[in-house]
Amino acid sequence: MKKILIISTGGTFNKVYNPKNGALEIDKKSNPLQDIASKWLCGFKIFNIIGKDSLEMTNHDRLELLSTIHQSDCQNIVIIHGTDTMDITAEYLADAELEKTIVLTGAMVPYSINPTEATANLASAYGYLNALEKEGVFIAMNGVMGVYNKVRKNRKEGRFTL
Amino acid sequence: MKKILIISTGGTFNKVYNPKNGALEIDKKSNPLQDIASKWLCGFKIFNIIGKDSLEMTNHDRLELLSTIHQSDCQNIVIIHGTDTMDITAEYLADAELEKTIVLTGAMVPYSINPTEATANLASAYGYLNALEKEGVFIAMNGVMGVYNKVRKNRKEGRFTL
Amino acid sequence: MKKILIISTGGTFNKVYNPKNGALEIDKKSNPLQDIASKWLCGFKIFNIIGKDSLEMTNHDRLELLSTIHQSDCQNIVIIHGTDTMDITAEYLADAELEKTIVLTGAMVPYSINPTEATANLASAYGYLNALEKEGVFIAMNGVMGVYNKVRKNRKEGRFTL
Amino acid sequence: MKKILIISTGGTFNKVYNPKNGALEIDKKSNPLQDIASKWLCGFKIFNIIGKDSLEMTNHDRLELLSTIHQSDCQNIVIIHGTDTMDITAEYLADAELEKTIVLTGAMVPYSINPTEATANLASAYGYLNALEKEGVFIAMNGVMGVYNKVRKNRKEGRFTL
């Protein structure tokens, strides 16, 4: 088994309903990942950073993500990221030519609203990363997985496709 | 992307509550897999066979499973199986020396009672299989995955461990 | 048993997540009520009208509600309403001095995000109405129930109190 | 508002899945009621006694229930009870001619498997009891509610009917 770090940057995956204002807000403590770990009956090493919707993510945030990856001694990393700019962050990380294996994932529906898609995306990324034998940046979403520039968000269908 | 077949043999993964007799029974139409496919926003090729608790599985059932695998033109197969005899079926399939890549998975808690663990097991098996570059029989459960004889059910802890 | 009509006007109770735009929107077909009826193992007579967040509800909408109540031959009515202006609509209906028994209810959290509070509010209103032996306008929310001008939304606590 | 005591005696309402033996067992701490109270945003006064499937309930258990009711200073009581002998316990309590108002309820499906029916049964009993202006023993299940000997379990349909 590989030693895997999960870095959660926010995104729809982590949104929770706030009854006081009726809005969906990023859960900065990332309880969704703790909840999945507890129910999946396993432990994760989790870093929570940034805590933003991916439409609000800046290059300054991407630098913080890159720096977090650099500082980690983990060779294998899953990143939870909003779906709208997942491709931009993936390209940003690919350009950095890290000697690591990175799989980005996220969710179209918040884990707190319906756990199935978010859980499946995370677990497929985790499984994929465990067997990957090369470095690079990959995306795993909605049952499709591959090199980052091959898996794209299909806005019309509301899911990722090859 | 690999072409993956999911063979569902029953097990806790597929149990649903029957309010008329108060029992948990195997859902032979395997709606859990259809439900995961629908929420994960992807399609699966699914075969439902046997439909048993793994404690009731006989070598005749294992022969039916082996025969189903033989007849399929899929090189890559995920098997949903009860946890109690997953190791016996895995060894049975390994002894058959198939030129295929097979990942067995299942659940400690029925999908219909709490979807997180069952979904995570299936999706991690699916992701793992997508990146595996060798033939053989593997198990993916509770976030651990590897060659079938390395991943074991820990009855005391109620989960699979290496 | 009384013959009870449920009029659903929208509100948080009926909101569902739209993955394509990330917004919570009123489900105008009110599937939540159908889902509760199906799981509660009973049938409801349901009218869906207006379909708005209660902050957007106008006196024209309230007139439509009043007219729907007038036209119904049901003496006993539960109204699903947004929480922010439930008191205004209740007073509007009380001023109309209808010879009916009306219980307003709703939810702080959408049924589709977590079913417990919405279900409990609706079912408590339904049970309360079944035993009420007087005409008038009442509110049942968060386990408190009584004449409409005694039960109030406590915005600080995020729930209704006496 | 009336002061209401909830006495939980066990039954399907309180069953939870035990992954170690695959059985549905009564949760003797009655976390379902705590969970409903927390999500319904209100507080309950709860007594947990007996903790049995109603098929196993003896007259000794019914005496314990009667004694608990006698000792309470609450005039209004909801009892969570298994559905199979709810009618027997109701008649037992009616024969005791208590000067109290008692509503029995329960569930066909455990709260932990699907919360909607159990929540709706409890909340309708709670609402009904709040407006009842007479003493006696009543049953509220599946949207029907009335004097205990009028509401019956329909085993064929798997729900309670008048």
Side-chain angles (χ1 to χ4, degrees), chain B residues 70-90:
Chain B
H70 267 306
Q71 284 162 33
S72 166
D73 59 357
C74 275
Q75 189 62 23
N76 298 287
I77 295 170
V78 170
I79 299 170
I80 309 287
H81 197 285
T83 61
D84 281 313
T85 65
M86 194 184 281
D87 56 339
I88 297 172
T89 299

Side-chain angles (χ1 to χ4, degrees), chain C residues 1-7 44-47 65-79 98-103 126 129 135-136:
Chain C
M1 284 284 296
K2 296 180 179 178
K3 190 178 156 195
I4 291 176
L5 169 67
I6 302 182
I7 302 177
F44 295 143
K45 190 175 178 186
I46 304 167
F47 274 6
L65 173 59
L66 187 59
S67 157
T68 305
I69 294 168
H70 267 305
Q71 285 162 32
S72 165
D73 59 357
C74 275
Q75 188 64 22
N76 298 286
I77 295 170
V78 170
I79 298 171
L98 301 155
E99 290 175 347
K100 306 216 175 197
T101 310
I102 295 169
V103 184
Y126 197 88
L129 182 49
E135 293 169 354

Side-chain angles (χ1 to χ4, degrees), chain A residues 1 35-36 39-43 108-109 111 114-117 119-121 123-134 141-146 157-160 162, chain B residues 1 35-36 39-43 108-109 111 114-117 119-121 123-134 141-146 157-160 162:
Chain A
M1 286 284 296
D35 197 55
I36 293 171
K39 289 176 178 155
W40 198 9
L41 309 170
C42 60
M108 301 301 291
V109 174
Y111 177 79
N114 190 304
T116 300
E117 189 229 354
T119 300
N121 287 334
S124 63
Y126 197 87
Y128 189 57
L129 182 49
N130 253 300
L132 271 175
E133 292 181 8
K134 54 193 165 198
M141 283 289 295
N142 305 133
V144 295
M145 47 207 87
E157 293 185 24
R159 63 190 185 97
F160 279 66
L162 274 177
Chain B
M1 284 284 297
D35 197 56
I36 293 172
K39 288 177 179 154
W40 198 8
L41 309 170
C42 60
M108 302 302 292
V109 175
Y111 177 78
N114 191 304
T116 300
E117 188 228 355
T119 300
N121 287 333
S124 64
Y126 197 87
Y128 189 57
L129 182 48
N130 253 299
L132 271 174
E133 292 180 6
K134 54 193 165 199
M141 282 289 294
N142 304 133
V144 295
M145 47 207 89
E157 293 185 25
R159 64 190 182 96
F160 279 66
L162 274 178

